[in-house]
Amino acid sequence: MKKEIIGYGSFFHKIDETQIKESSTITFFQDHKLFYTGRHAIKFIIETINETKDVETIWLPKYYCQHVTAWIKHNYNNVGFYDIDPFQINHIVQLDPSLFQNPNDIVLLNNFWGIFNYDLPNNPTRAIILEDHSHGWLSNSCINSSADICITSLRKTLPVPLGAMAWVPKGSSLKINWGDNSTNVSEKTTQTFIINAWNSIDKAMELKSNCSIEENKQEYLELYSLAENYLHNQYEIIPVTIEHRDYINAYLTKDYQSYKTENLNYLHSRISTFKDLDILWQDGNTTFGLNVPFERRTDFDRLKSHLIEHKIYPSELWPGNSVDTKFKYLMNIHVDFRYNKTDLDYLMETLSHFFRFKNELV
């Protein structure tokens, strides 16, 4: 990574797919379909299930991406919410059994940070279980999901402008018609989507690869913002073009998890010296990034400001949520395939400086 060009963290820059090593675990989603966004994948599944039964309630976790929640609520007036602690790191997560009692309900589970494994009921007349692996792509619980059907927003992990997927995991008896019968959009709508979203992000990724991050930062951020604002207010499922499908597939079979595992193991052996830093860590599993939970907003903001000052750009998963738990805010520091040990040493040096002079930094 060249910090003076692309910064540490933030959005992906454009990278040749041949530079990322292949995965040996991409065998669990043979029955699948690509979409432009995870929201499209969720809507496709709900609409498909609605063809054979009247869905009564779509249950979402209270702690979830606020943009996706708002998007789903715009499309459906039968959304309910259930409590969950997104920061627990138990190997098996148990939810209230009554959540699954109605066979006409859909319960959306979230694989929080790649380390959630749910203890799900085996009752054949239970609710349909949809699991979101957007922040746990290629994690153990993603590969071995016991849900009825799964989705992921691939662009959270793959360096592609847009991309998402739905698949039926092994062991599931749910039958899905993957045809495009449920999509009825005009040629103009499809072209508008491509121009306003895919092409905007693609151009931003190109800028980030070839230009000084400070010189063109405002330009590529505006391009990302243009695309994201369009997605927040775009509600039709638009079929992925052949060109874009081929582009996504070129990156789909890469081993993103191995980079994170190696980088997190390298960091974990050193970060334990910071007594004031909590991290979400589970032996045998790899989290989405270096995930740091906070009890207080002020502590979150202080560390974030310090990192940004040193050209490290963490993300927040997710702002605008409220939970009645010990931890309430989650910082994600990227540790993906873009970074090597030199970069991680720079991150550790920056964190070390913060905790050495924590009381002096305002």
Side-chain angles (χ1 to χ4, degrees):
M1 181 195 74
K2 299 178 181 178
K3 298 178 189 63
E4 70 276 14
I5 294 180
I6 64 170
Y8 189 119
S10 186
F11 304 105
F12 286 114
H13 63 290
K14 185 166 285 190
I15 183 171
D16 187 335
E17 76 276 7
T18 61
Q19 298 180 36
I20 309 172
K21 59 186 175 184
E22 290 285 331
S23 173
S24 60
T25 62
I26 307 297
T27 58
F28 64 95
F29 59 83
Q30 294 178 2
D31 189 9
H32 73 283
K33 181 179 178 68
L34 292 178
F35 298 87
Y36 278 114
T37 71
R39 302 165 213 187
H40 288 178
I42 291 172
K43 184 175 182 179
F44 177 89
I45 291 167
I46 294 172
E47 292 299 300
T48 301
I49 293 171
N50 260 327
E51 292 176 359
T52 57
K53 64 170 66 181
D54 294 325
V55 176
E56 293 187 17
T57 304
I58 303 164
W59 293 100
L60 304 180
K62 286 185 178 179
Y63 195 95
Y64 196 47
C65 175
Q66 73 277 21
H67 297 304
V68 176
T69 296
W71 195 90
I72 294 173
K73 289 177 68 177
H74 177 92
N75 283 275
Y76 303 100
N77 59 10
N78 57 338
V79 177
F81 297 91
Y82 64 89
D83 290 309
I84 192 167
D85 181 353
F87 307 120
Q88 62 179 305
I89 55 173
N90 299 328
H91 281 279
I92 301 295
V93 178
Q94 292 184 321
L95 296 171
D96 185 345
S98 64
L99 180 64
F100 305 96
Q101 285 182 348
N102 190 339
N104 292 322
D105 287 353
I106 297 175
V107 179
L108 188 148
L109 305 179
N110 192 66
N111 175 11
F112 290 104
W113 336 131
I115 56 176
F116 265 49
N117 293 283
Y118 292 94
D119 183 15
L120 301 179
N122 293 321
N123 184 351
T125 61
R126 60 159 170 73
I128 292 176
I129 298 173
L130 163 63
E131 191 167 21
D132 183 349
H133 296 280
S134 297
H135 292 85
W137 176 243
L138 297 185
S139 65
N140 292 334
S141 48
C142 169
I143 294 172
N144 301 303
S145 174
S146 55
D148 296 304
I149 191 161
C150 299
I151 69 101
T152 184
S153 177
L154 292 167
R155 67 192 183 115
K156 302 294 190 302
T157 302
L158 280 61
V160 295
L162 294 170
M165 191 173 74
W167 75 95
V168 177
K170 293 179 179 179
S172 171
S173 60
L174 187 66
K175 303 298 181 183
I176 293 289
N177 177 9
W178 297 111
D180 290 327
N181 296 334
S182 63
T183 59
N184 182 20
V185 296
S186 66
E187 181 71 16
K188 181 179 178 181
T189 303
T190 302
Q191 292 303 317
T192 300
F193 178 87
I194 293 170
I195 293 171
N196 284 305
W198 182 286
N199 288 350
S200 290
I201 298 176
D202 186 67
K203 184 177 179 181
M205 294 173 69
E206 188 71 43
L207 276 174
K208 205 171 181 188
S209 297
N210 299 325
C211 304
S212 165
I213 189 170
E214 296 303 325
E215 176 187 346
N216 290 284
K217 185 174 183 178
Q218 190 60 35
E219 183 178 358
Y220 80 70
L221 287 178
E222 287 177 357
L223 287 166
Y224 272 110
S225 180
L226 174 68
E228 290 298 333
N229 287 337
Y230 180 80
L231 294 176
H232 294 335
N233 299 284
Q234 183 278 323
Y235 301 104
E236 293 181 279
I237 304 170
I238 298 176
V240 179
T241 66
I242 294 175
E243 177 187 2
H244 292 165
R245 183 194 63 195
D246 292 344
Y247 190 100
I248 295 169
N249 278 329
Y251 291 88
L252 187 60
T253 59
K254 304 300 179 178
D255 191 4
Y256 303 97
Q257 195 75 344
S258 65
Y259 295 95
K260 290 183 179 181
T261 299
E262 182 178 351
N263 287 343
L264 284 169
N265 285 340
Y266 183 81
L267 286 172
H268 190 255
S269 64
R270 293 157 177 77
I271 211 166
S272 58
T273 60
F274 303 147
K275 296 181 180 179
D276 293 332
L277 183 67
D278 292 291
I279 62 170
L280 296 181
W281 176 268
Q282 188 182 86
D283 289 335
N285 283 316
T286 298
T287 49
F288 179 67
L290 181 63
N291 295 145
V292 186
F294 291 84
E295 298 181 43
R296 301 188 303 174
R297 183 84 224 179
T298 52
D299 294 333
F300 178 100
D301 289 340
R302 287 180 67 195
L303 178 56
K304 180 180 178 181
S305 295
H306 178 75
L307 292 173
I308 291 175
E309 184 180 339
H310 291 80
K311 310 303 181 188
I312 298 172
Y313 303 95
S315 59
E316 181 175 357
L317 306 173
W318 295 279
N321 279 281
S322 177
V323 288
D324 186 21
T325 57
K326 176 184 177 182
F327 295 110
K328 294 177 169 50
Y329 312 98
L330 185 69
M331 178 182 294
N332 174 69
I333 301 174
H334 303 80
V335 295
D336 51 63
F337 61 89
R338 292 174 286 179
Y339 309 114
N340 57 35
K341 288 183 172 58
T342 300
D343 305 316
L344 300 179
D345 288 339
Y346 174 73
L347 170 61
M348 288 299 302
E349 178 185 338
T350 306
L351 288 172
S352 178
H353 180 268
F354 177 81
F355 286 103
R356 279 203 312 269
F357 302 102
K358 182 179 179 182
N359 295 330
E360 301 174 21
L361 296 171
V362 179

